[in-house]
Amino acid sequence: MLPHTLLQETVLHHLAVIYAGVETTQSLDDIKQRLLQTMGLDDENNVRPIVPHQNHWNEKDVVLITYGDSIEKEGEKPLQTLHCFLERYCKPYINSVHILPFFPYSSDDGFSVIDYSSVNESLGNWTHIAQIADDYRLMADLVINHCSARSAWFDNFIKGEGQGHDFFYTASPQDDLSQVVRPRTSPLLRETVTANGEQHVWCTFSHDQVDFDFRNPEVLITFISIIRQYLDNGVRLFRLDAVAFLWKQIGTPCINLEQTHEAVRLIRTLIEHAQPDAVIITETNIPNRENLAYFGNANEAHAIYNFSLPPLLLNTLITGDCTYLKNWMMSMPPAQNGTTYFNFIASHDGIGLRPAEGLLEERELNTLLSTMQQFGGRVSWRVADNGQQKPYEINIALFDALQGTTAGQDKWGMERFVCAHTIMFGLEGIPGLYVHSLLATGNDYDRLANTNQNRSINRHRWNYDKLESELSNQHSQHAKAHKRLTSLLQKRTAQPAFHPNATQFTLQLGSQLFGYWRQSIDRRQSIFCVSNITDTIQILRLSDVNLIGTDKWQDLISEMEINDALMELELMPYQTVWITNIVY
């Protein structure tokens, strides 16, 4: 079957699943044709052949996560300043950048989008975005579940005419909404007076973030046009924000519904035929098993956020016990070729706790919460199924989160902080490094006070000149962290055994040493990654990791040669070794 014919049949199948039981004013064939035309795939000469299970990444891929204005310089657009920062302080260790929503917005630091087609003029313009995309693989957010209540679309919803007048999901207060899963404590429905009378608009996150109604095919077609625009401006990685909530159906939890999964499959089909090296990453801050489902059968997300890693690794380092982290690691399936994990341990949001459900016992969770609050953190809440409030995420800068253990603050903060990143850098998957971790930025209490939003504590804005001064001072925590993390990345990105899809096995080294083995796809290089996750010296017996005695081994980090496969290594508190048989 010709690629173009197969594409049409595939898209039609996706639409049949999504709109089963939904009355639409257009036929599925008409919707299909409009989608293909919007993406530029109606001409068979534009349809690229797809190679199944192809990895669009390797060990050199590292993503820096940042807001467009995380670093500012007087008299310069922040996107220009960001580009300068990337060139001076990130190259060649980081080859990709995730610029968090850079569109006009009304709240939630960008995630309440007013206009998807424009760059926030306070940041710069599309030319600045394209210039960054020329030098770095660019990741952008597709805020697909909701938009701003101040958008032109929602204005038209209120007027009852024009584009957007039928874009939003409404329900009745009398509907059975008891099963709906919420990430927030605000009321789900927003009363809105419109030209058609009072409407109750669905708001999963806040009343300034009004949810789309994907039962209307015009919403889907509009988002495909947005994707096309982003591709044309150099975006190659698409972060599908809050996508788990996309499809609503009264009487269900309204999360992870089959129509949502099929919509992700459809988006992937269209994107990969238009731009085969483009990647979609699902952002689903939900329990681990549900998160894994977004891989599908290697036909949904290319990558999923590894949301369970941050709370489990944080728990490991503050307790000095890796049992929970190790058990989770052993349960994680290896990603098929063509899919991978997106690893991170800090982000612009917080440390999500739903992904730890079923993985951390309640006692451990309570200890984690109280410890983070001692280190200046805040806790955000959600409404559980029974109507009670439950902790949703911890809001804290990672550098401050790791300044101590359950026993309190100590002198090992920097070592613990570096240890956390060293563990993350070696894991199966692509590492995502938050800019404020690269810079060891602490809690921003002034910003927290100004916004009264918990997440602001980890969304500091640096003055570029001040940052330069800090990074030139070798004694500052910022310079120390930057030097050590970039040194690790320089080593990491040269090792084939750190390919995102290279083999990984968890090592059994007790509860105080956390280790795993990576082997390159060609099986030539092995790396044994072992970390002392305690504040006391630990002994690593190399016989426990079964080094092959005929090979020459070296710790990549310390560059120490290992001449005896039976020797014992003394690991200082929070020290990590990357023991390899081949040094690149």
Side-chain angles (χ1 to χ4, degrees):
M1 188 179 294
L2 295 174
H4 190 248
T5 303
L6 179 60
L7 171 61
Q8 292 193 67
E9 291 192 2
T10 303
V11 171
L12 201 57
H13 169 75
H14 292 318
L15 294 173
V17 174
I18 294 170
Y19 293 109
V22 177
E23 293 185 11
T24 63
T25 58
Q26 307 172 60
S27 71
L28 295 185
D29 195 64
D30 286 343
I31 299 169
K32 174 203 69 179
Q33 286 302 120
R34 291 185 63 194
L35 289 173
L36 295 177
Q37 183 178 23
T38 299
M39 190 60 99
L41 296 173
D42 51 329
D43 184 342
E44 62 183 30
N45 294 318
N46 293 338
V47 178
R48 315 278 185 90
I50 301 303
V51 179
H53 301 289
Q54 186 174 21
N55 296 325
H56 301 299
W57 44 78
N58 59 38
E59 61 275 9
K60 298 188 183 303
D61 287 306
V62 179
V63 180
L64 184 77
I65 305 166
T66 179
Y67 278 102
D69 58 359
S70 289
I71 305 168
E72 300 175 310
K73 186 174 185 178
E74 188 174 351
E76 188 172 83
K77 290 294 186 181
L79 288 173
Q80 292 176 294
T81 307
L82 173 61
H83 199 176
C84 179
F85 170 80
L86 291 168
E87 293 291 289
R88 181 168 181 183
Y89 293 106
C90 298
K91 236 176 190 179
Y93 322 109
I94 293 168
N95 68 355
S96 307
V97 58
H98 173 199
I99 306 178
L100 291 154
F102 45 80
F103 321 105
Y105 71 95
S106 56
S107 64
D108 199 17
D109 280 353
F111 286 93
S112 186
V113 179
I114 292 176
D115 179 7
Y116 289 81
S117 64
S118 302
V119 175
N120 187 337
E121 62 180 14
S122 69
L123 299 177
N125 54 44
W126 280 115
T127 298
H128 298 131
I129 292 292
Q131 287 171 344
I132 293 174
D134 286 341
D135 293 327
Y136 298 86
R137 201 168 188 204
L138 179 60
M139 179 171 166
D141 291 274
L142 190 69
V143 185
I144 196 168
N145 178 71
H146 52 262
C147 74
S148 170
R150 290 175 53 191
S151 65
W153 291 341
F154 197 66
D155 283 346
N156 288 340
F157 169 79
I158 293 173
K159 295 174 186 175
E161 60 184 16
Q163 185 184 27
H165 79 276
D166 53 357
F167 274 20
F168 300 96
Y169 196 94
T170 61
S172 166
Q174 281 70 50
D175 288 332
D176 180 8
L177 306 177
S178 60
Q179 295 184 56
V180 176
V181 172
R182 297 293 316 287
R184 298 289 186 273
T185 57
S186 58
L188 174 63
L189 301 180
R190 162 189 162 141
E191 295 181 12
T192 304
V193 177
T194 76
N196 297 315
E198 186 177 78
Q199 302 282 330
H200 292 84
V201 181
W202 195 284
C203 299
T204 298
F205 291 91
S206 78
H207 282 193
D208 186 51
Q209 294 165 296
V210 284
D211 283 33
F212 292 113
D213 185 354
F214 274 85
R215 295 174 302 179
N216 178 1
E218 291 299 326
V219 176
L220 175 63
I221 293 166
T222 298
F223 269 94
I224 297 306
S225 71
I226 292 167
I227 290 172
R228 181 68 262 179
Q229 181 186 10
Y230 293 0
L231 283 170
D232 292 340
N233 282 280
V235 174
R236 291 297 177 265
L237 291 86
F238 291 83
R239 176 185 183 271
L240 304 189
D241 176 65
V243 70
F245 300 96
L246 180 144
W247 195 271
K248 288 85 174 168
Q249 186 171 322
I250 303 300
T252 75
C254 298
I255 186 172
N256 304 323
L257 298 186
E258 176 55 30
Q259 295 92 331
T260 293
H261 282 281
E262 196 67 38
V264 175
R265 295 180 197 121
L266 170 62
I267 291 169
R268 172 167 176 162
T269 294
L270 294 171
I271 286 179
E272 66 182 359
H273 279 87
Q275 186 70 45
D277 64 341
V279 170
I280 63 174
I281 304 177
T282 49
E283 187 268 336
T284 48
N285 191 355
I286 52 181
N288 192 55
R289 184 179 296 275
E290 298 170 27
N291 189 30
L292 288 169
Y294 282 86
F295 276 142
N297 186 21
N299 63 348
E300 290 189 39
H302 293 90
I304 62 171
Y305 271 73
N306 215 346
F307 272 109
S308 296
L309 177 61
L312 291 177
L313 183 53
L314 186 57
N315 166 266
T316 293
L317 290 168
I318 67 166
T319 63
D321 186 332
C322 66
T323 300
Y324 293 97
L325 178 62
K326 186 169 57 177
N327 289 343
W328 167 74
M329 282 267 290
M330 290 189 293
S331 72
M332 290 292 281
Q336 298 183 54
N337 281 330
T339 66
T340 191
Y341 294 103
F342 186 77
N343 296 322
F344 72 106
I345 52 176
S347 76
H348 61 290
D349 287 341
I351 298 164
L353 298 176
R354 288 212 71 207
E357 290 178 9
L359 301 175
L360 284 179
E361 297 176 12
E362 187 172 356
R363 181 189 71 251
E364 295 289 328
L365 181 59
N366 290 336
T367 299
L368 180 61
L369 290 172
S370 62
T371 304
M372 292 304 99
Q373 288 173 316
Q374 288 177 34
F375 297 156
R378 302 294 190 269
V379 178
S380 294
W381 302 83
R382 70 180 181 91
V383 177
D385 297 343
N386 57 10
Q388 293 183 332
Q389 290 194 4
K390 292 189 67 174
Y392 177 70
E393 69 183 13
I394 302 168
N395 306 108
I396 191 170
L398 187 63
F399 187 77
D400 283 341
L402 292 169
Q403 288 309 294
T405 67
T406 56
Q409 192 167 344
D410 59 27
K411 64 180 181 179
W412 299 109
M414 179 64 75
E415 300 307 318
R416 196 178 290 110
F417 177 76
V418 172
C419 178
H421 286 90
T422 311
I423 290 173
M424 189 262 284
F425 289 161
L427 289 174
E428 173 190 359
I430 299 170
L433 178 60
Y434 189 38
V435 66
H436 291 306
S437 294
L438 177 64
L439 301 174
T441 310
N443 292 334
D444 189 335
Y445 296 111
D446 289 339
R447 188 166 173 78
L448 174 65
N450 287 337
T451 66
N452 200 32
Q453 298 292 324
N454 285 349
R455 287 177 168 178
S456 296
I457 199 170
N458 195 24
R459 296 179 178 179
H460 180 71
R461 289 179 180 169
W462 276 99
N463 173 273
Y464 187 74
D465 294 333
K466 182 178 180 181
L467 178 59
E468 276 193 316
S469 176
E470 291 289 350
L471 292 178
S472 65
N473 176 7
Q474 62 180 342
H475 299 296
S476 77
Q477 69 186 42
H478 314 291
K480 290 176 181 177
H482 179 269
K483 181 178 180 180
R484 293 185 65 177
L485 295 185
T486 53
S487 175
L488 286 168
L489 289 175
Q490 184 177 26
K491 297 175 188 294
R492 181 212 187 272
T493 54
Q495 314 307 320
F498 285 146
H499 185 287
N501 293 88
T503 298
Q504 176 174 290
F505 283 111
T506 307
L507 301 175
Q508 301 302 317
L509 302 172
S511 63
Q512 298 179 312
L513 291 174
F514 175 68
Y516 50 91
W517 171 62
R518 303 295 310 278
Q519 184 184 57
S520 59
I521 293 172
D522 64 10
R523 300 187 178 182
R524 292 184 64 240
Q525 186 189 33
S526 286
I527 302 179
F528 292 90
C529 307
V530 181
S531 299
N532 175 2
I533 48 88
T534 76
D535 56 7
T536 59
I537 294 172
Q538 300 292 325
I539 303 299
L540 170 62
R541 293 188 297 271
L542 295 182
S543 59
D544 290 342
V545 298
N546 296 322
L547 300 185
I548 299 174
T550 56
D551 286 354
K552 292 183 178 179
W553 297 89
Q554 179 178 312
D555 172 24
L556 286 170
I557 298 175
S558 69
E559 300 183 356
M560 177 185 70
E561 292 187 1
I562 297 172
N563 300 314
D564 182 359
L566 299 177
M567 70 184 292
E568 295 184 345
L569 297 183
E570 187 178 82
L571 298 187
M572 296 299 292
Y574 305 105
Q575 180 184 352
T576 297
V577 289
W578 285 344
I579 301 173
T580 185
N581 60 333
I582 300 177
V583 178
Y584 288 91

